[in-house]
Amino acid sequence: MMFRQGSRLLAGSVRLSRRPFSTATEVPAATTTNADSGFIESWKKVIPNIDPPKTPSHFMNPRPATPSSIPSKITVNFVLPYASELSTKEVDMVIIPATTGQMGVLPGHVPTIAELKPGILSVHEGNDVTKYFLSSGFAFIHANSVADVIAVEAVPVDHIDPSLVQKGLTDFTQKLSSATTELDKAEAQIGVDIHSALNAALSG
Amino acid sequence: MAMAALRREGRRFVPLISPQPISAVQSSLISQEQAPLGVRSISTQIVRNRMKSVKNIQKITKAMKMVAASKLRAIQIKAENSRGIWQPFTALLGDNPSVDVKKNVIITVSSDKGLCGGINSTSVKMSKALHKLTSGPEKQSTYVILGEKAKAQLIRDSKNNIELCITELQRNPLNYTQVSVLADDILKNVEYDALRIVFNKFHSVVSFPPTVATVLSPETVERESESGGNLGELDSYEIEGGETKGEILQNLAEFQFSCVMFNAVLENACSEQGARMSAMDSSSRNAGEMLDRLTLTYNRTRQASITTELIEIISGASALKG
């Protein structure tokens, strides 16, 4: 899995002054996923003496239904394994680093599932633009103008140290040229990819 | 180490408590006492020893409670922070516990260490029930076990259905990298149409509702979305990147599994510490109560012997006078 490699490398070139991420918990969000009544019925038929277990939808706030007109703002949930970076935040636009290229998402975007590559996620809110560097992950854009971005690792761009990025880039380029096995080669390639994406993010 | 000490104390303790309840101790002490001829004092040696061992056990359980409480604090923050990660997947793919597929894999999450209340037996009970629910003619349902305790319980009667056992997960602090390696391992070793992850979700220090999260294989997702049903909406999504839809769905399913597993493992670890804390709390309280009763017995016996001696002296003196 490339996610792992990516996040480790990314963590390596981030200064430790990272601000603590918010501790927001359950992300309240869209489409109503009712508890599966069929499951509970069949459970009670087969195992009458034990209460049916809970399922994830019990613990999730229902997501809003698709509005008839396009809302003026898009709701963003941006989650990492160790934090909920943004939860149901209403913003004007997000730009997502999809594997097919940067993708601007405005309210009323067609429902999309996009795989992400290392790159910049920018969140536009009025005149404020917040930029994060993501290692990889997925983004879902729902019909109800809710966008979910799931990343393995992410840091605000201003926390990245340019000198460490340069050093990492030269290191991995060297490793790539001297790699002998397929595995070494792949690892070095991932390192080069991430560092050049970081480099591009810093210069761009 | 604390466990070993506790076990040692327990062994010393068991032959003493098992034969008769507390109230019977006093009389049995007197009757069994082998005092030298003519001496009528009552020995309190046995009660004193027992008080000492109860006190030691209480010290150990108190210490274990403190340890669990501090571990709980650290892991609770982690578990709560990881709760965002599975929700987008559930919003997109829905929650499908009732999905009817051929190859079911039940992943039972449990702890490696005991002395933590009933959370492991709850996991096992739920897994067995799920196994019963998902197995049938032409259907296959197997277990993947995380943690020593569920392994010990399931290996007894479901040995043939166990596909994989993974233990010592919590030797290092849990992180996403470690869990995704584990998820990779599981996916490499099993064939599945649906993965059902059974764990105890941490709710509060006293409540850990057993929870089942379902992760479908890419093929199942595709089939279900084509046939409408729960996943019917998925067809309306445009898919960006990747060569084919299948490839993206494959990546998505693997990523979903690692994310759901990450949350499940953290929630279960958190429940374990919570359960251990309350279990150790009640056992220290129990030890305290027992100590009180023993102290009472001890003092009463001592008092009785003093009274007897006094009576003997006084009656002797009055007999001489009379």
Side-chain angles (χ1 to χ4, degrees), chain A residues 14-201:
Chain A
V14 172
R15 269 172 293 166
L16 282 171
S17 64
R18 173 199 289 170
R19 89 193 137 81
F21 282 111
S22 66
T23 55
T25 52
E26 320 266 289
V27 181
T31 49
T32 42
T33 35
N34 288 334
D36 204 322
S37 56
F39 173 66
I40 291 176
E41 264 167 44
S42 54
W43 179 281
K44 283 193 173 145
K45 218 175 281 166
V46 182
I47 309 120
N49 53 347
I50 305 177
D51 282 340
K54 299 270 188 283
T55 57
S57 51
H58 278 96
F59 303 107
M60 209 166 113
N61 294 344
R63 300 217 156 182
T66 311
S68 52
S69 63
I70 294 173
S72 61
K73 300 261 184 183
I74 182 157
T75 312
V76 183
N77 298 313
F78 175 28
V79 292
L80 303 173
Y82 53 86
S84 294
E85 188 59 15
L86 302 175
S87 89
T88 56
K89 194 173 162 88
E90 296 203 327
V91 299
D92 295 315
M93 179 174 76
V94 283
I95 299 175
I96 294 168
T99 42
T100 47
Q102 295 293 104
M103 190 168 83
V105 180
L106 290 162
H109 195 277
V110 281
T112 309
I113 299 170
E115 207 174 337
L116 308 181
K117 63 172 183 191
I120 296 276
L121 168 80
S122 43
V123 181
H124 296 249
E125 196 185 358
N127 289 327
D128 288 350
V129 181
T130 324
K131 286 186 174 179
Y132 301 93
F133 186 84
L134 310 187
S135 63
S136 53
F138 266 95
F140 313 139
I141 298 143
H142 303 280
N144 50 9
S145 294
V146 173
D148 293 318
V149 181
I150 312 153
V152 174
E153 182 74 74
V155 280
V157 170
D158 50 349
H159 288 199
I160 298 171
D161 188 341
S163 59
L164 280 178
V165 173
Q166 286 302 338
K167 190 172 167 287
L169 188 57
T170 42
D171 278 2
F172 277 104
T173 320
Q174 224 166 44
K175 257 186 214 163
L176 184 61
S177 55
S178 65
T180 46
T181 62
E182 284 292 309
L183 182 70
D184 283 352
K185 223 174 246 178
E187 273 182 3
Q189 185 62 49
I190 292 168
V192 170
D193 285 352
I194 293 228
H195 282 89
S196 34
L198 270 167
N199 212 6

Side-chain angles (χ1 to χ4, degrees), chain B residues 183-197:
Chain B
D184 239 17
D185 267 359
I186 294 176
L187 291 183
K188 256 184 235 154
N189 286 309
V190 297
E191 280 181 24
Y192 69 101
D193 287 328
L195 296 159
R196 297 165 194 275
I197 304 163

Side-chain angles (χ1 to χ4, degrees), chain B residues 148-175:
Chain B
E148 203 69 58
K149 290 288 153 182
K151 181 180 157 193
Q153 291 188 36
L154 279 171
I155 219 158
R156 255 181 280 155
D157 55 352
S158 318
K159 203 172 178 195
N160 300 331
N161 293 322
I162 297 175
E163 201 129 349
L164 195 63
C165 283
I166 297 160
T167 55
E168 296 204 336
L169 186 62
Q170 287 191 51
R171 188 186 280 173
N172 304 316
L174 290 163
N175 61 33

Side-chain angles (χ1 to χ4, degrees), chain B residues 241-257:
Chain B
E243 302 287 299
T244 57
K245 189 181 177 187
E247 195 181 317
I248 285 275
L249 285 178
Q250 173 86 33
N251 285 349
L252 188 64
E254 282 178 10
F255 190 35
Q256 181 189 13
F257 179 57

